[in-house]
Amino acid sequence: MPAKILSGLEVSAVVKERVRKAVNELKGQGVQPCLATVLVGDDSASATYVSSKQKTAKELGIATRDHRLKASFMQQELLDLVQLLNNDPKVHGILVQLPFPKHIDEFAITSSISLLKDVDGLTPYSAGMLQNGMAHLKPCTPSGIIEILDYYGIDVAGMDAVILNRSNLVGKPLAFMLLERNATVTICHSKTKGLAEKLRGGDLIVTAVGNRGRFTLTADMVKEGAVVIDVGTSRHGGNMAGDVDFDSVKEKASWITPVPGGVGPMTIAMLMKNTVSAASISRGMQ
Ligand code: GUN
């Protein structure tokens, strides 16, 4: 039997509806939630992601600031802008789109974001809180994956979960979230030996490579009945494609996310949820 579809479109609609209600409640209490996005450079994929985040925020009644900066923008200028947004009481969430141009140190920037406005969950504080199971603001893509699993009633306790990605945005935080839910987690990456064998051991596979030329998850790498989550997006044969060879893998998996319509919409929905959480936190502190 072919795999059942894990529809990020469906789950994100539910999350966004909850966010819309929370925004209205906050507005009723005199708080206008506001998300500031910062994009450095002219990477077209990043520009598209930021525009989608801006558009969704507006649809849900969240105010936005949209800072688009030239690739030549200097690190100190970016630190100054983040500081300005940190100190602006009207701004509740700050998202600095990654990746940066080479001359900007990612850690220097992400760690300068106010802990209360860290809607990406990227500061060392948020990462440490996540490791301790105490985070309020968690990275959006892994939280979106957990939200999908919960929505479809997939309990990962005892599962062998194999994650193909070790970034601060996806692989590392997801590993802690799955551990928290009692999965046994393996993180794989470009230097992993025996990758196909490790993937075949996965009851849950999460792949986030985003380059079909370098990696495609094919059916021979998937255990019968595995849950397969595809975070990758890249151009493949003129179309947007995930990491997964969907047509063959769906014949082996029990559940599978499509691309598009899988994890992508969840990342944005969880960003909106984090923005509302950050706005609520700020109200509590006033
Ligand atoms: N680049 C790709 N995904 C993300 C994300 O979730 N947050 C940020 N800041 N940059 C990204």
Side-chain angles (χ1 to χ4, degrees):
M1 200 169 64
K4 286 173 273 187
I5 300 294
L6 297 165
S7 170
L9 273 184
E10 186 175 324
V11 187
S12 67
V14 173
V15 172
K16 285 193 285 186
E17 208 34 56
R18 286 206 302 262
V19 169
R20 196 192 303 277
K21 286 203 183 102
V23 168
N24 286 337
E25 274 171 33
L26 280 166
K27 282 184 179 169
Q29 295 162 14
V31 179
Q32 167 62 70
C34 175
L35 170 68
T37 61
V38 180
L39 173 64
V40 188
D42 44 22
D43 178 73
S44 65
S46 291
T48 306
Y49 290 140
V50 169
S51 297
S52 300
K53 291 168 184 177
Q54 285 279 332
K55 181 166 168 272
T56 305
K58 288 185 185 108
E59 282 166 7
L60 299 180
I62 296 172
T64 61
R65 307 276 176 85
D66 188 356
H67 296 271
R68 307 227 177 189
L69 312 166
K70 290 203 168 72
S72 57
F73 210 69
M74 297 309 291
Q75 176 161 319
Q76 188 55 50
E77 294 176 288
L78 189 52
L79 284 168
D80 292 345
L81 173 60
V82 170
Q83 213 46 48
L84 215 65
L85 295 170
N86 282 343
N87 293 332
D88 185 337
K90 290 210 164 94
V91 171
H92 301 105
I94 302 171
L95 176 129
V96 185
Q97 186 70 19
L98 303 175
F100 292 136
K102 293 264 180 299
H103 65 280
I104 294 176
D105 175 356
E106 183 177 310
F107 183 76
I109 303 301
T110 54
S111 61
S112 75
I113 294 170
S114 159
L115 310 182
L116 299 172
K117 303 187 180 188
D118 179 20
V119 286
D120 249 342
L122 284 178
T123 58
Y125 173 81
S126 297
M129 290 298 271
L130 182 65
Q131 289 180 28
N132 284 279
M134 302 289 283
H136 293 298
L137 298 170
K138 303 177 194 172
C140 304
T141 299
S143 338
I145 292 169
I146 297 292
E147 195 79 24
I148 290 181
L149 293 172
D150 284 352
Y151 182 87
Y152 287 97
I154 297 169
D155 181 5
V156 300
M159 279 191 184
D160 286 322
V162 183
I163 303 170
L164 183 48
N165 182 286
R166 57 173 152 178
S167 70
N168 292 332
L169 273 172
V170 181
K172 286 188 221 165
L174 180 61
F176 286 109
M177 290 180 200
L178 291 172
L179 271 177
E180 187 77 21
R181 286 160 184 253
N182 299 314
T184 303
V185 181
T186 304
I187 295 190
C188 299
H189 48 78
S190 54
K191 300 283 191 294
T192 295
K193 285 186 279 184
L195 177 62
E197 194 180 329
K198 288 191 169 65
L199 289 165
R200 261 194 301 277
D203 303 306
L204 168 66
I205 296 176
V206 180
T207 175
V209 176
N211 185 334
R212 273 294 275 266
R214 266 176 49 207
F215 175 78
T216 302
L217 186 85
T218 48
D220 59 303
M221 303 172 188
V222 176
K223 184 200 278 194
E224 197 76 46
V227 178
V228 176
I229 309 275
D230 192 350
V231 185
T233 41
S234 56
R235 287 230 156 260
H236 179 65
N239 296 317
M240 286 311 285
D243 292 349
V244 177
D245 179 25
F246 187 85
D247 289 340
S248 70
V249 171
K250 81 172 190 314
E251 298 302 326
K252 238 171 153 187
S254 56
W255 292 94
I256 191 167
T257 56
V259 174
V263 176
M266 290 308 297
T267 298
I268 299 184
M270 300 316 281
L271 174 65
M272 301 304 134
K273 182 178 173 217
N274 279 351
T275 303
V276 162
S277 297
S280 309
I281 293 168
S282 81
R283 191 182 60 91
M285 303 215 33
Q286 274 164 5

